[in-house]
Amino acid sequence: MLGNEADALDAVQDGFVKVLTNLGGFEKRSSFKTWLLRVVSNAALDLGRARGRREAIASPAPSLNGDASSLVWDDPTLGLEHADLRRLLDSALATLPEPQRQTFVLHVDAEMSYREVADSLGISIGTVMSRLYYARQKLRAYLTPHMRS
């Protein structure tokens, strides 16, 4: 969501501190996972607003599947292709408006259902569906020129 690994780690740490200090505030209206992800997502949004997104867009870092350099490949060219694809995908994600990127990352990376994303972000399922639809359209438009024939 932040496009920067160091910022993401800071947001997770801030989120977990908030969870631990406000554990009594968990009202069990949703699953603990949904509540936890909402608190951490809000911490990421707060951090992103505080630090500004200019730095994250200028140097996107791996965000969905971790660092490509930690993978082991039999063919070194596959690792390079994967790293190139990761950078391209990160660049594409950086072009999305924050609400669309947040919704997309929660659904795809965190493997949350529409309901879980909606509960986590405090929005309706229809809004989740709309954000995902437009995010996919924008990602497709960004990535299509880079696809091989």
Side-chain angles (χ1 to χ4, degrees):
M1 287 172 36
L2 294 168
N4 179 298
E5 185 177 6
D7 287 347
L9 292 172
D10 287 346
V12 169
Q13 184 175 5
D14 291 347
F16 273 93
V17 168
K18 289 177 183 177
V19 164
L20 290 174
T21 57
N22 296 304
L23 199 53
F26 175 55
E27 299 174 359
K28 300 179 184 174
R29 287 185 281 169
S30 62
S31 71
F32 182 76
K33 175 185 171 184
T34 301
W35 181 71
L36 172 70
L37 286 172
R38 182 174 189 169
V39 172
V40 173
S41 293
N42 287 340
L45 289 173
D46 292 344
L47 184 65
R49 281 190 284 269
R51 292 192 178 166
R53 293 205 55 251
R54 276 180 266 125
E55 297 167 7
I57 291 172
S59 60
S63 57
L64 291 179
N65 293 324
D67 184 8
S69 66
S70 67
L71 300 174
V72 177
W73 300 92
D74 292 334
D75 181 355
T77 60
L78 290 177
L80 292 174
E81 288 176 11
H82 185 270
D84 288 344
L85 182 60
R86 175 81 260 151
R87 279 190 295 278
L88 180 62
L89 182 56
D90 287 339
S91 295
L93 287 170
T95 67
L96 296 176
E98 190 172 297
Q100 288 177 6
R101 184 176 56 258
Q102 182 182 31
T103 303
F104 186 85
V105 169
L106 288 175
H107 180 64
V108 174
D109 187 39
E111 300 178 356
M112 295 175 72
S113 69
Y114 287 5
R115 168 55 51 205
E116 289 173 321
V117 173
D119 289 347
S120 169
L121 298 176
I123 58 178
S124 71
I125 289 179
T127 302
V128 170
M129 293 169 65
S130 174
R131 287 181 183 177
L132 288 173
Y133 174 81
Y134 289 109
R136 289 177 183 130
Q137 294 296 319
K138 289 174 184 171
L139 291 172
R140 184 177 294 118
Y142 184 91
L143 294 171
T144 297
H146 302 283
M147 304 305 269
R148 294 181 188 157
S149 302

